[in-house]
């Protein structure tokens, strides 16, 4: 089941925007794409707090005392889940049991993939997918059922948590976010739903633009630094030939790099990533003759927080890929 976002009239909104400002939930988010989606749903009613500092590593971040204090005062925490931000899982263990939570990877209707899943064919229709696991619904007030298996580094196995890179998931999450905000703040329910409906339409339009822009490079293989782009590649039918790093905790071994180079014979570009040293990518490019593309930023490390952040992340990925792939082979 997918959440549906209902529209309300402008006159109804006018009477609701200023209502019950003191009751607007204090919302905490973990990473930039989540903060952007929540900001879109909240609109002028409030500004969700982003815990992750700009440019910080999403997997190994450490909260400052002021951030821990803000978390303790939250009414609602909206986050990807411990698969992405294990440090927040640990922090949430110390909160009161009545603090509402939304773990987006557990939201009903989310399409999930596992690390190592192959990219979708170039003619993929982007419909709700066969071959995807559907997460079970998890009520926001379901307590602290944390998964501590991910606390010792971000291992690239099991469920891939970078699910926001599929805009279909972002649209589902907007409905989930608006529904939970409305539950906590019923006086402003119509405003949350109208905001989310507007954001849903904007993401749908962005998705269509990106799909058309990426179509000419769907069959052009490329390599990436970090195994984080499976959702984006699956959704748009892109062809990832290989990944430099097998995880975040250690550099790749010689055997992995040798196997990678063998898979890159037909690839055109290799892309470094923000927050990671580009030297290894540059070395592989020199050895294989690949063109080095711009640095990809899947988590929005360089994006300004706010409601426009989600679109900026997806547009940035598409623009960076196209700039390198839509050129004659080197």
């Amino acid at each position: 089941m997918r959440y549906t976002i209902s529209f309300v009239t402008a006159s109804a909104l006018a009477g609701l925007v200023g209502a019950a400002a003191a009751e607007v939930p204090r919302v905490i988010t973990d990473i930039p794409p989540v903060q952007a989606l929540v900001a879109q749903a909240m609109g002028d009613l409030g500004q969700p707090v982003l815990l992750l500092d700009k440019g910080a590593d999403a997997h190994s971040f450490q909260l400052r005392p002021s951030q821990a204090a803000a978390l303790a005062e939250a009414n609602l925490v909206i986050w990807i889940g411990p698969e992405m931000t294990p440090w927040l899982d640990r922090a949430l263990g110390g909160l009161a049991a009545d603090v509402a939570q939304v773990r987006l990877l557990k939201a009903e209707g989310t399409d999930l993939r596992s690390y190592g899943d192959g990219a979708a064919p170039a003619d993929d229709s982007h419909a709700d997918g066969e071959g995807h696991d559907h997460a079970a619904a998890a009520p926001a007030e379901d307590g602290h059922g944390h998964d501590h298996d991910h606390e010792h580094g971000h291992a690239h196995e099991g469920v891939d948590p970078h699910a926001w890179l599929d805009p279909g998931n972002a649209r589902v999450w907007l409905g989930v976010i608006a529904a939970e905000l409305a539950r906590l703040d019923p006086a402003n329910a119509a405003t949350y739903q109208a905001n989310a409906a507007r954001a849903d339409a904007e993401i749908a339009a962005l998705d269509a633009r990106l799909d058309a822009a990426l179509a000419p490079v769907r069959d052009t293989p490329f390599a990436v630094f970090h195994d984080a782009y499976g959702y984006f590649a699956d959704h748009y039918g892109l062809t990832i030939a290989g990944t430099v790093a097998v995880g975040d905790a250690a550099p790749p071994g010689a055997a992995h790099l040798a196997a990678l180079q063998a898979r890159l014979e037909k690839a055109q570009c290799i892309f470094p990533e923000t927050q990671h040293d580009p030297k290894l990518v540059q070395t592989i490019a020199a050895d294989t003759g690949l063109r080095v593309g711009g640095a990809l930023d899947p988590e929005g490390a360089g994006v300004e927080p706010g409601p426009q952040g989600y679109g900026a992340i997806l547009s940035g990925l598409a623009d960076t890929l196209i700039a390198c792939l839509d050129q004659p082979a080197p």
Side-chain angles (χ1 to χ4, degrees):
M1 181 184 102
R2 288 184 180 267
Y3 283 77
T4 58
I5 303 171
S6 60
F7 290 87
V8 296
T9 65
S11 60
L13 280 178
L16 288 167
V17 168
E23 298 175 11
V24 172
R26 294 185 299 275
V27 185
I28 300 289
T29 62
D30 55 350
I31 60 175
V34 175
Q35 194 269 351
L37 294 173
V38 178
Q40 287 178 308
M42 295 188 76
D44 294 335
L45 290 174
Q47 182 71 20
V49 173
L50 172 62
L51 290 177
L52 190 71
D53 291 336
K54 189 172 183 179
D57 189 304
H59 308 303
S60 60
F61 184 64
Q62 292 187 344
L63 290 174
R64 299 190 307 275
S66 60
Q67 294 169 316
L71 185 61
E73 296 177 356
N75 304 119
L76 174 61
V77 179
I78 301 178
W79 61 311
I80 294 292
E83 299 87 348
M84 187 70 197
T85 50
W87 48 271
L88 182 53
D89 189 40
R90 294 189 288 272
L92 289 172
L95 294 185
D98 61 350
V99 176
Q101 294 183 40
V102 174
R103 278 174 54 174
L104 292 172
L105 287 185
K106 294 292 186 182
E108 185 176 0
T110 302
D111 281 335
L112 298 178
R113 70 184 301 279
S114 297
Y115 282 117
D117 284 353
D123 61 351
D124 181 25
S125 65
H126 315 322
D128 282 345
E130 298 178 1
H132 287 269
D133 297 325
H134 290 273
E141 64 272 25
D142 62 353
H144 303 290
H146 307 310
D147 178 358
H148 293 278
D149 292 340
H150 302 273
E151 291 191 0
H152 303 291
H154 181 58
H156 284 203
E157 57 188 15
V159 172
D160 180 349
H162 302 84
W164 66 89
L165 294 182
D166 181 340
N169 284 335
R171 296 176 67 185
V172 169
W173 293 350
L174 279 168
V176 173
I177 291 164
E180 183 59 13
L181 289 168
R183 185 186 72 83
L184 295 175
D185 181 15
N188 289 308
T191 302
Y192 296 128
Q193 301 225 355
N195 290 341
R198 187 181 308 110
D200 177 83
E202 290 173 356
I203 292 176
L206 171 67
D207 185 22
R209 291 196 301 272
L210 296 185
D211 189 56
L214 288 164
V217 300
R218 281 194 181 126
D219 296 327
T220 306
F222 61 94
V224 294
F225 179 81
H226 172 213
D227 191 4
Y229 306 94
Y231 288 98
F232 195 81
D234 285 356
H235 186 78
Y236 293 111
L238 303 176
T239 306
I240 297 178
T243 300
V244 174
V246 295
D248 295 324
H256 172 76
L257 291 177
L260 173 65
Q261 291 192 22
R263 293 196 299 271
L264 299 183
E265 291 182 1
K266 297 182 179 180
Q268 179 162 315
C269 297
I270 185 168
F271 293 90
E273 189 172 310
T274 58
Q275 302 173 283
H276 294 279
D277 192 330
K279 289 181 181 178
L280 185 55
V281 166
Q282 293 165 351
T283 298
I284 294 172
D287 292 342
T288 59
L290 292 177
R291 182 183 295 117
V292 178
L296 298 174
D297 185 9
E299 296 162 14
V303 171
E304 286 299 322
Q308 303 306 313
Y310 181 76
I313 292 170
L314 264 62
S315 296
L317 291 181
D319 291 346
T320 302
L321 291 170
I322 292 167
C324 189
L325 296 176
D326 196 18
Q327 296 185 36

